[in-house]
Amino acid sequence: MKKKDALPKGWATSADVAARAGVSRSAVSRTFTEGASVSPATRARVLKAAEELGYQVNRLARSVIQRQSSLVGIVVPGMQNEFVVQLLGPLAENLAHHSLAPLLIDARDPAQMASKLRYLLQYRVAGVIFTSGSPPIELAQEYLRLRVPVAMINRDANLESVDVVTSDNQEGGTLAADCLIKGGARRLAYVNLPSGTYSGISRGAGFSEAVARSGIASISLELVQGTIPDYAGGVDVAAQLLDRPPERRPDGVFCANDLLAFGFLDAARYDFGLRVPEDIAIVGFDDIPMASTQGFALTTIRQDVEALAREAVGLLVQRMAEPTTLARTRRIPVQLVPRATSKS
Amino acid sequence: MKKKDALPKGWATSADVAARAGVSRSAVSRTFTEGASVSPATRARVLKAAEELGYQVNRLARSVIQRQSSLVGIVVPGMQNEFVVQLLGPLAENLAHHSLAPLLIDARDPAQMASKLRYLLQYRVAGVIFTSGSPPIELAQEYLRLRVPVAMINRDANLESVDVVTSDNQEGGTLAADCLIKGGARRLAYVNLPSGTYSGISRGAGFSEAVARSGIASISLELVQGTIPDYAGGVDVAAQLLDRPPERRPDGVFCANDLLAFGFLDAARYDFGLRVPEDIAIVGFDDIPMASTQGFALTTIRQDVEALAREAVGLLVQRMAEPTTLARTRRIPVQLVPRATSKS
DNA sequence: ACCCGTATTGCACTCGTGTGCAGTCTAGGC
DNA sequence: GCCTAGACTGCACACGAGTGCAATACGGGT
């Protein structure tokens, strides 16, 4: 009678494996714990028995005793913003490198935000990553009190123990301004994100300063506050900004993200019959995949999504090991990608 | 001296709450367990104490004892496919209604797939949802052995215990064909997804059958196998399909998803200078947000993302309660959204 | 042969929670 | 006043794992 009684009652426990391998439960535990002391011989026997039984460590039980799970909350403001979505893949991948798993929280609705964040705590997450303009910062206070590491992507924090990794938004604004000015634009406009967004403000600041620095006297600059940071929002802003006599119409526009730029671009050429970039040049921000299509061919500022994700996870992991380190900020370089909506 | 010693050592446990409320730990547990027997009086005292201590149930510990977590794995094939991304939000929301949380697994790389799925098991997930063309089905076998509920969105399964919820792909193909034929197209083409994709095959089948059913003798139909289901893939296929004399060029094309259609559309009008829909009509599938922009204005078949997510979660939850029910299939209706790339 | 340092091993306790069981309390009918 | 059903409550055990500590085994130097 062979050992055909494998895979019996569903989940195998470490005790099952121990019994089959003829060792103590401790040995099994140590086999699956990195850095623990097990002889190669027993280790091999345990692994064999585990394989035969289809044993998988119960990470929940492990988390209970270690008083920390291997889950990391990822808080996103809905899935509309393609840029945030692009972060998800790299984030998941980088977390996996540290044996962490992403727990996805969609915080589109600010009303439910508080309860969702509290809910996340029930899983004793090892850390949280907030992306872009997601949550009012006060809500993160409870995390800080409990010393749950927090990292933010493209947000400011101004808290002593919250790491921030952000694209160099200001530099991006500067690049955009230089590009437009060099292309000959003199009536500039900046289409911002909804008010209060950190990214939007920084990009605008860089843009404005570069315009001032240009030293060109005849140059004008107009700042427009967007309400919705998507295609329709771009169309709306364009309707308001382009419905003027040509001499008062902007001839160079910087949109705080690509979706806004798409909307603005389409409105400009289809609704107002303008030629781009001859009558008006447009620069976006993000470089989402659609920006490189022939129909848009949008000149834009590229964010390094991979680097943002890598740094965010890196900082978070460091903080898990050393929870009291002071807040650090990583600024990721951005890059101008010239395409067909600008002259340079 | 007031009770100012609240929020002491980080995480409060049920024992802390019990002590503060002057009840047993069981009472605390029952207060946070739906349907358990607690008197309104003690319940109130427990809640008060819990509030004061900032107590949050430790779902990990709960999961250990209940031998099942409240985590649900969501397996996606990368974040390129916008349609899949659109599912994420509604899925998360519907899961939340059942006190479940989504554990995100990016299975873009088929090589790592097996290990990622195994890893997911370590969290004793309460169920798994596979989206679109993600994983070779054999990999799900281990889940079935362990009786972990599995649901699939827009995939076939042909397994006795795997629920399937899918858009009515076949009907979608039919709608596309009818739309093109009614618009006068006679040389039809179907641009498929990469080979073996369930959705792609079904859509093609519906398309082909509708063409056959039309009874028009002079009609021709060409099937093209795509390799990459994105914008670049669409451009590639167009290059191959449109580089012919006009009388042999298709005049009506159905693309298996919107990204393919975008690429095909742009290639047709920009690379080949064709007028759409006069020279060639194009119909897509999905109705992602970009399809409604003025630049594309793509006629397409809309999938009901909300319904897909709702049904998938619903079936999964039912199966958690009743693990042995036979596999069920939910077919979600689709809808033709006529825009500017077709004549009807 | 003896001693000692090092590498393994197992015992037993621990983590924070759910839940069966038996005991206690309350209200209501007689 | 007594009895009984029903609603609560608490005790004690369970879940599946990590880990300090002491015990053991091993190897080498004298």
Side-chain angles (χ1 to χ4, degrees):
Chain A
M1 174 164 147
K2 293 249 199 77
K3 298 175 187 169
K4 279 295 179 191
D5 53 350
L7 314 182
K9 41 173 178 162
W11 296 105
T13 75
S14 65
D16 298 335
V17 178
R20 185 174 191 107
V23 298
S24 82
R25 210 176 50 66
S26 306
V28 178
S29 172
R30 288 193 247 262
T31 299
F32 290 98
T33 303
E34 201 156 359
S37 167
V38 206
S39 76
T42 53
R43 179 189 184 78
R45 287 169 55 197
V46 167
L47 285 179
K48 180 159 175 290
E51 173 70 22
E52 290 168 354
L53 293 175
Y55 171 72
Q56 297 287 129
V57 178
N58 185 334
R59 277 191 121 82
L60 302 171
R62 168 182 288 184
S63 300
V64 169
I65 204 172
Q66 293 185 336
R67 323 186 79 164
Q68 169 159 310
S69 77
S70 44
L71 299 169
V72 169
I74 297 191
V75 183
V76 302
M79 303 291 166
Q80 281 64 49
N81 185 339
E82 173 134 6
F83 168 71
V84 169
V85 169
Q86 301 258 320
L87 277 171
L88 257 36
L91 280 176
E93 191 167 350
N94 280 285
L95 286 175
H97 291 161
H98 297 91
S99 292
L100 297 168
L103 203 50
L104 187 63
I105 298 295
D106 183 355
R108 185 177 8 183
D109 182 0
Q112 301 186 342
M113 170 81 74
S115 70
K116 290 211 174 182
L117 285 185
R118 206 188 311 279
Y119 183 72
L120 200 50
L121 285 174
Q122 301 188 348
Y123 289 97
R124 299 299 187 265
V125 284
V128 190
I129 297 178
F130 291 99
T131 65
S132 292
S134 32
I137 256 182
E138 309 78 48
L139 292 178
Q141 291 292 359
E142 195 157 7
Y143 284 82
L144 302 185
R145 182 177 74 73
L146 294 166
R147 298 210 182 293
V148 176
V150 174
M152 303 205 163
I153 297 184
N154 271 358
R155 292 197 44 127
D156 60 343
N158 285 330
L159 294 171
E160 279 195 359
S161 53
V162 172
D163 296 317
V164 171
V165 37
T166 167
S167 282
D168 196 338
N169 290 304
Q170 194 142 348
E171 170 70 5
T174 301
L175 290 173
D178 291 349
C179 168
L180 290 171
I181 294 172
K182 198 188 296 178
R186 288 300 173 266
R187 296 183 301 282
L188 299 178
Y190 172 57
V191 180
N192 201 348
L193 299 173
S195 70
T197 316
Y198 168 71
S199 314
I201 295 170
S202 308
R203 289 164 198 177
F207 191 73
S208 303
E209 284 171 25
V211 169
R213 226 175 15 239
S214 75
I216 302 179
S218 62
I219 215 162
S220 74
L221 172 57
E222 188 169 358
L223 304 175
V224 187
Q225 190 69 54
T227 49
I228 322 173
D230 63 4
Y231 183 89
V235 173
D236 284 351
V237 171
Q240 153 195 351
L241 215 52
L242 299 180
D243 192 15
R244 308 174 180 176
E247 67 277 8
R248 290 189 39 235
R249 198 157 48 199
D251 56 3
V253 178
F254 173 40
C255 296
N257 76 28
D258 281 352
L259 284 179
L260 276 171
F262 291 161
F264 198 100
L265 170 57
D266 277 355
R269 56 189 179 183
Y270 300 127
D271 296 345
F272 289 91
L274 299 178
R275 292 167 307 160
V276 180
E278 291 81 3
D279 297 331
I280 183 170
I282 300 176
V283 177
F285 205 110
D286 285 350
D287 194 27
I288 61 179
M290 269 290 147
S292 64
T293 62
Q294 286 193 70
F296 291 121
L298 180 73
T299 294
T300 190
I301 311 294
R302 174 181 298 167
Q303 298 200 64
D304 189 342
V305 183
E306 300 279 347
L308 286 168
R310 191 175 348 107
E311 288 294 330
V313 172
L315 290 179
L316 201 68
V317 169
Q318 281 181 34
R319 184 168 292 281
M320 288 177 202
E322 197 69 51
T324 56
T325 38
L326 281 179
R328 291 153 298 180
T329 296
R330 293 274 183 282
R331 204 174 302 280
I332 309 295
V334 295
Q335 180 188 356
L336 175 71
V337 183
R339 296 205 183 92
T341 60
S342 69
K343 291 182 220 159
S344 62
Chain B
M1 175 167 149
K2 292 250 199 75
K3 298 177 188 170
K4 278 293 176 190
D5 53 350
L7 315 182
K9 40 169 181 166
W11 296 104
T13 74
S14 64
D16 298 335
V17 178
R20 184 174 192 108
V23 298
S24 80
R25 211 177 46 66
S26 304
V28 179
S29 173
R30 288 193 247 262
T31 299
F32 290 98
T33 304
E34 200 155 1
S37 168
V38 207
S39 77
T42 54
R43 176 188 187 80
R45 288 169 55 196
V46 168
L47 286 178
K48 179 158 175 292
E51 173 70 22
E52 289 167 355
L53 293 176
Y55 170 72
Q56 298 285 130
V57 178
N58 185 334
R59 278 191 119 82
L60 302 171
R62 168 182 287 184
S63 299
V64 169
I65 204 174
Q66 294 185 333
R67 326 188 75 165
Q68 168 159 312
S69 77
S70 44
L71 298 169
V72 169
I74 298 191
V75 183
V76 302
M79 303 289 167
Q80 281 64 48
N81 185 339
E82 172 133 9
F83 168 70
V84 169
V85 169
Q86 301 260 318
L87 276 171
L88 257 37
L91 279 176
E93 191 167 349
N94 279 286
L95 286 175
H97 290 160
H98 296 91
S99 292
L100 297 168
L103 204 50
L104 189 61
I105 299 294
D106 182 355
R108 185 176 9 181
D109 182 1
Q112 300 186 343
M113 170 82 72
S115 70
K116 291 211 173 182
L117 286 186
R118 208 188 312 277
Y119 183 72
L120 200 51
L121 285 174
Q122 302 188 348
Y123 289 97
R124 300 298 188 266
V125 285
V128 189
I129 297 179
F130 292 100
T131 65
S132 292
S134 31
I137 258 183
E138 310 79 47
L139 291 177
Q141 292 292 358
E142 195 157 7
Y143 284 82
L144 302 185
R145 182 178 72 73
L146 294 166
R147 299 210 181 293
V148 176
V150 174
M152 304 205 162
I153 297 183
N154 270 359
R155 291 197 43 129
D156 59 344
N158 284 331
L159 294 172
E160 277 195 0
S161 53
V162 172
D163 296 317
V164 170
V165 35
T166 168
S167 282
D168 196 337
N169 290 304
Q170 193 142 351
E171 171 70 6
T174 301
L175 290 173
D178 291 349
C179 167
L180 290 172
I181 293 173
K182 199 190 292 178
R186 288 300 174 266
R187 295 183 302 280
L188 299 179
Y190 171 58
V191 181
N192 201 348
L193 298 173
S195 70
T197 317
Y198 168 72
S199 314
I201 294 170
S202 309
R203 290 165 197 177
F207 192 72
S208 302
E209 284 171 23
V211 170
R213 228 177 10 240
S214 73
I216 302 179
S218 62
I219 215 161
S220 74
L221 171 58
E222 190 169 356
L223 305 177
V224 187
Q225 190 69 54
T227 51
I228 322 173
D230 63 3
Y231 183 89
V235 173
D236 283 352
V237 169
Q240 152 196 354
L241 215 53
L242 299 181
D243 192 15
R244 306 175 181 175
E247 67 277 9
R248 288 187 41 233
R249 197 157 49 201
D251 56 2
V253 178
F254 173 40
C255 296
N257 76 29
D258 281 353
L259 285 179
L260 276 172
F262 291 162
F264 198 101
L265 170 58
D266 277 357
R269 54 189 180 185
Y270 298 127
D271 297 344
F272 290 90
L274 299 178
R275 294 167 305 160
V276 179
E278 291 80 2
D279 296 330
I280 184 170
I282 300 176
V283 177
F285 204 108
D286 284 350
D287 196 26
I288 63 179
M290 269 291 147
S292 64
T293 63
Q294 284 193 73
F296 292 121
L298 180 72
T299 295
T300 191
I301 310 294
R302 174 180 297 164
Q303 298 200 64
D304 189 341
V305 183
E306 300 279 346
L308 286 167
R310 191 175 346 109
E311 287 294 332
V313 172
L315 290 178
L316 201 68
V317 169
Q318 282 182 33
R319 184 168 292 281
M320 288 176 201
E322 196 70 50
T324 56
T325 38
L326 279 179
R328 293 153 296 180
T329 296
R330 293 275 184 279
R331 202 174 302 278
I332 310 295
V334 295
Q335 181 187 355
L336 175 72
V337 183
R339 295 204 183 92
T341 59
S342 68
K343 293 183 218 157
S344 62

